[in-house]
Amino acid sequence: MRIEIAEHAGFCFGVERAIKLASDARNSYDKVATWGKLIHNEHVVNELRVAGIATVDSVSELTKDTVLVLRAHGVDRQVFAELEGTVRSVIDATCPLVKKVHAQTEHLSRQGLPVVVVGDASHPEVRGIVSYAGAEYFVVSDKEQIDRLPYRDKYGIVAQTTINEAVFAGVVEAIRGKCASIEVADTICSATRLRQDAALKLAKTVDVMLIVGGKNSANTVHLAEVCRSVCKRVFHIESADECDGALLAESLCGTTSIGITAGASTPDYVIDCVR
Ligand code: F3S
């Protein structure tokens, strides 16, 4: 049986950077915590917990001697003010590419434009992005939601970094019918593009695709969507344990080729176990 791993799979540089910043902090300070889950992968979050790095979700959980590491997906801009004086220090592990979306959203808003963020409104990254928008902004996850946008002279558009490229392109086209002009900041990150393109290429050549990563990981969910457009049997699993599940085990029976890819927050050892 052919088992092949997609060319680009697993940790992106933003995730590696965040883990390194948290680990380095733990090596230097007694009390280290992350604001929200550092990345969307339970294996890694558990490893950090075992290493003594807690996850906190509110200011009331913090003490003055805590060194706080901000998650890779970024935080609402108000959080920086809220944290003032509550902790020993703050280490911002927000991915630089997410920071870029914040800056571009702010730039579009400062021009007086209503900003459309293409992404999942409930995702922490998108909640952080909209905190950099002005009074008028909209979050849409696909082109079907464009109907609710009012007509405006001009819209600014940004993307959640991990959104599906085809979905983003569809929304941009649909918004053209709602205004005279648009200014687009294509903020899909390079790691997302590479993973989606490599997954699509591999999915076209195999019977079954296994997508490994957190069920709450947006980029992993989008990898599965991309693969479903060309492969009939696509399974999103969090670890090798799920390979024993009835549906997946039946699908693997008699299969001659399996492709594997993984989200940007999935550690190599989890991918290796699945293989
Ligand atoms: Fe950054 Fe893209 Fe990874 S935004 S955290 S490099 S998926």
Side-chain angles (χ1 to χ4, degrees):
M1 187 197 299
R2 175 169 74 100
I3 299 178
E4 195 176 326
I5 295 184
E7 192 183 350
H8 299 281
F11 277 2
C12 61
F13 90 93
V15 162
E16 274 178 353
R17 175 179 173 274
I19 293 171
K20 183 169 185 326
L21 285 170
S23 304
D24 288 353
R26 184 66 184 108
N27 289 335
S28 305
Y29 302 101
D30 285 341
K31 196 157 187 190
V32 178
T34 66
W35 183 258
K37 289 179 179 171
L38 186 67
I39 63 168
H40 281 158
N41 186 278
E42 288 306 319
H43 299 278
V44 175
V45 171
N46 280 334
E47 277 172 20
L48 294 173
R49 189 179 307 128
V50 169
I53 302 174
T55 301
V56 299
D57 295 300
S58 67
V59 172
S60 62
E61 296 173 73
L62 297 168
T63 51
K64 292 256 188 201
D65 57 346
T66 304
V67 171
L68 187 65
V69 184
L70 304 183
R71 64 184 172 224
H73 288 301
V75 299
D76 301 9
R77 72 188 312 172
Q78 302 86 295
V79 167
F80 291 96
E82 274 174 45
L83 292 174
E84 201 74 49
T86 61
V87 289
R88 178 173 182 163
S89 61
V90 174
I91 296 172
D92 190 355
T94 304
C95 175
L97 298 181
V98 174
K99 286 279 201 192
K100 205 169 150 194
V101 192
H102 295 170
Q104 287 183 299
T105 302
E106 198 170 17
H107 171 70
L108 292 167
S109 289
R110 285 216 168 126
Q111 292 178 57
L113 299 181
V115 175
V116 178
V117 181
V118 187
D120 173 1
S122 65
H123 192 281
E125 180 189 328
V126 174
R127 293 205 303 268
I129 292 169
V130 299
S131 70
Y132 288 83
E136 190 174 39
Y137 68 84
F138 304 88
V139 180
V140 298
S141 57
D142 57 44
K143 64 182 178 190
E144 277 69 44
Q145 296 184 351
I146 295 303
D147 283 350
R148 66 188 171 85
L149 260 58
Y151 190 87
R152 291 283 182 268
D153 189 43
K154 186 174 180 180
Y155 271 108
I157 309 170
V158 299
Q160 184 178 352
T161 55
T162 51
I163 203 79
N164 179 315
E165 282 190 270
V167 169
F168 184 62
V171 170
V172 169
E173 273 318 297
I175 292 176
R176 286 185 198 282
K178 286 283 185 177
C179 56
S181 65
I182 55 175
E183 185 164 338
V184 183
D186 182 349
T187 46
I188 298 174
C189 87
S190 49
T192 296
R193 279 185 213 286
L194 287 172
R195 277 155 191 70
Q196 289 184 2
D197 291 350
L200 189 64
K201 192 171 156 200
L202 179 58
K204 285 177 182 164
T205 71
V206 295
D207 299 329
V208 172
M209 267 306 280
L210 300 181
I211 319 296
V212 190
K215 294 274 161 70
N216 60 347
S217 157
N219 77 85
T220 311
V221 169
H222 293 314
L223 278 177
E225 279 169 17
V226 163
C227 291
R228 282 193 187 102
S229 68
V230 293
C231 179
K232 286 201 175 72
R233 288 184 280 169
V234 176
F235 296 89
H236 178 172
I237 59 175
E238 293 203 336
S239 69
D241 298 346
E242 291 175 60
C243 291
D244 294 333
L247 182 61
L248 179 49
E250 192 184 314
S251 269
L252 295 181
C253 215
T255 295
T256 59
S257 54
I258 299 175
I260 301 172
T261 190
S265 48
T266 309
D268 280 352
Y269 67 83
V270 175
I271 305 172
D272 289 341
C273 280
V274 170
R275 177 160 56 176

